[in-house]
């Protein structure tokens, strides 16, 4: 029987070939004028794991930019600027690059098929390739999937302390594969989601979520079932977890399409509470600096994709 690492290497080779084909295929025509979005938000991380203070806390400013090249091509980048670090590792005192990647979106509207291919540096310190697929079958049913092959990277510097880090591993590529479905209950603007598969740490799990969408806010409750996860903070480990998420969209809600460069705050504020988070189970990387659970990774005419943010 072939080992899993051998299978992952074979998948990696095929994924690279597929990425090259898809990224190289585009319509030939007049190039649209690039439009850039420059934005900045803030990120707060905290954990109640220290007896000497109520919470360990980490606050970063998160400036970023997106450049829309036309024909479905986009470039995205983001940097983390540390403001407060109480209890987290010293490496988080560095100015760190969070992501820098290029993506191509394919829209097959007649077949209701939408595909987005991304390559480069992703969030959660992963780099490689990512493919997302969405299929709105009816006005109330959506299928979606995600496949990626990534490895660890890190790039940061602290000029005041004279420290830096630069890591690009190529020895432990991780295959991520997720498959899910969503049901849209239009009278109540409510979405039922189910997703499962293989996650970043080679672990398997499934999640169910109920999301209530408002004009500029989405509130959800979720439950997860995953492989046994030993934890230093949870006695005897666990297989279950759950909590709630809040995604609040920030103004301006309508995109300014008549400008070459738009400067604005981050598009959203997110709050996630997981009652038994262990920092290991069901981890996912991000490919968009403003990725969230309300805005779909591909703009589609379904669910919240019909909202006028």
């Amino acid at each position: 029987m072939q080992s899993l690492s051998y299978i992952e290497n074979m998948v990696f080779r095929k994924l690279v070939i597929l990425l090259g084909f898809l990224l190289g295929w585009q319509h030939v025509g007049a190039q649209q004028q690039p439009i850039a979005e420059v934005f900045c938000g803030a990120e707060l991380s905290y954990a109640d794991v220290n007896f000497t203070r109520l919470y360990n806390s980490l606050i970063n400013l998160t400036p970023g930019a997106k450049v829309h090249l036309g024909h479905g091509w986009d470039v995205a980048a983001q940097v983390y600027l540390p403001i407060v670090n109480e209890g987290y590792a010293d490496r988080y005192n560095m100015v760190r690059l969070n992501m820098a990647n290029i993506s191509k979106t394919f829209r097959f509207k007649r077949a209701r098929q939408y595909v987005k291919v991304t390559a480069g540096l992703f969030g959660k310190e992963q780099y490689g390739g990512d493919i997302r697929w969405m299929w709105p079958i009816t006005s109330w049913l959506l299928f979606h999937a995600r496949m990626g092959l990534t490895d660890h990277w890190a790039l940061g510097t602290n000029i005041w302390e004279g420290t830096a880090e630069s890591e690009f591993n190529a020895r432990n590529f991780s295959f991520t594969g997720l498959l899910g479905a969503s049901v849209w209950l239009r009278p109540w603007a409510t979405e039922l989601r189910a997703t499962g598969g293989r996650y970043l740490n080679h672990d398997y799990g499934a999640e169910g979520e109920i999301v209530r969408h408002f004009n500029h806010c989405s509130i959800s409750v979720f439950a997860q079932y995953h492989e046994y996860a030993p934890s230093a903070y949870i006695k005897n480990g666990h297989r279950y977890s759950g909590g709630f998420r809040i995604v609040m969209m920030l103004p301006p809600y309508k995109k300014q399409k008549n400008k070459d460069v738009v400067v604005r705050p981050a598009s959203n504020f997110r709050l996630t509470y997981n009652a038994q988070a262990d920092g290991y189970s069901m981890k996912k990387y991000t490919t968009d600096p403003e990725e969230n659970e309300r805005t779909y990774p591909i703009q589609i005419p379904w669910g919240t994709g019909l909202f006028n943010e």
Side-chain angles (χ1 to χ4, degrees):
M1 182 176 180
Q2 294 177 319
S3 66
L4 186 58
S5 60
Y6 174 79
I7 296 175
E8 288 181 349
N9 288 333
M10 294 296 295
V11 172
F12 174 69
R13 294 175 184 176
K14 293 180 180 180
L15 182 58
V16 169
I17 295 173
L18 180 61
L19 284 173
F21 172 76
L22 291 176
L23 290 175
W25 177 52
Q26 60 176 326
H27 296 290
V28 178
Q31 181 68 22
Q32 297 179 1
Q33 185 176 5
I35 298 177
E37 297 180 77
V38 180
F39 49 87
C40 185
E43 179 185 77
L44 166 65
S45 300
Y46 63 93
D48 184 12
V49 297
N50 195 312
F51 292 105
T52 62
R53 54 181 164 266
L54 180 59
Y55 289 109
N56 288 344
S57 57
L58 177 66
I59 301 177
N60 292 310
L61 291 180
T62 58
K66 298 177 184 177
V67 180
H68 309 293
L69 303 176
H71 303 291
W73 289 91
D74 294 282
V75 175
Q78 187 178 49
V79 175
Y80 277 3
L81 304 178
I83 303 300
V84 175
N85 184 355
E86 295 289 344
Y88 282 78
D90 291 339
R91 66 185 294 263
Y92 294 111
N93 290 324
M94 298 180 183
V95 176
R96 294 177 294 120
L97 181 63
N98 181 48
M99 69 175 61
N101 56 63
I102 184 170
S103 64
K104 167 71 173 176
T105 301
F106 301 90
R107 302 177 182 277
F108 307 99
K109 294 183 179 180
R110 290 186 178 180
R112 298 180 180 178
Q113 302 291 311
Y114 301 85
V115 179
K116 183 177 182 180
V117 181
T118 309
L121 308 179
F122 305 148
K124 302 299 182 182
E125 299 182 337
Q126 296 291 306
Y127 79 94
D130 177 82
I131 300 176
R132 303 199 188 196
W133 166 76
M134 304 189 79
W135 180 20
I137 301 177
T138 67
S139 62
W140 59 269
L141 179 61
L142 167 73
F143 285 159
H144 51 88
R146 180 179 190 177
M147 182 175 65
L149 199 61
T150 62
D151 204 342
H152 172 74
W153 76 281
L155 191 62
T157 183
N158 188 330
I159 59 176
W160 294 276
E161 297 182 1
T163 58
E165 64 177 0
S166 178
E167 301 178 20
F168 287 89
N169 294 346
R171 301 181 303 273
N172 189 31
F173 276 91
S174 176
F175 171 73
T176 302
L178 302 176
L179 181 64
S182 294
V183 174
W184 180 254
L185 306 178
R186 183 176 179 180
W188 305 278
T190 298
E191 189 174 349
L192 309 180
R193 298 174 179 168
T195 307
R198 191 169 193 256
Y199 291 84
L200 196 53
N201 290 318
H202 304 182
D203 59 312
Y204 294 85
E207 177 181 289
E209 185 175 22
I210 303 175
V211 192
R212 176 66 168 91
H213 297 290
F214 301 93
N215 284 342
H216 304 296
C217 179
S218 295
I219 300 175
S220 72
V221 292
F222 66 91
Q224 299 175 338
Y225 178 78
H226 49 73
E227 295 182 18
Y228 177 81
S231 172
Y233 316 119
I234 304 173
K235 186 178 180 180
N236 299 327
H238 66 105
R239 291 181 180 271
Y240 304 92
S241 58
F244 64 86
R245 300 183 177 105
I246 300 174
V247 180
M248 177 69 72
M249 306 305 293
L250 302 177
Y253 299 118
K254 294 183 179 180
K255 292 187 176 181
Q256 303 178 43
K257 299 180 180 180
N258 58 339
K259 293 185 178 181
D260 293 337
V261 179
V262 175
V263 179
R264 57 172 176 78
S267 66
N268 67 89
F269 166 82
R270 293 178 61 256
L271 173 64
T272 299
Y273 174 78
N274 191 330
Q276 295 197 108
D278 53 40
Y280 177 88
S281 302
M282 300 180 65
K283 287 186 64 176
K284 296 182 289 185
Y285 55 85
T286 56
T287 60
D288 188 308
E290 300 176 295
E291 193 163 324
N292 63 84
E293 290 79 11
R294 175 185 172 90
T295 306
Y296 303 132
I298 307 174
Q299 180 65 34
I300 59 174
W302 191 93
T304 60
L306 297 173
F307 287 9
N308 186 20
E309 300 290 11

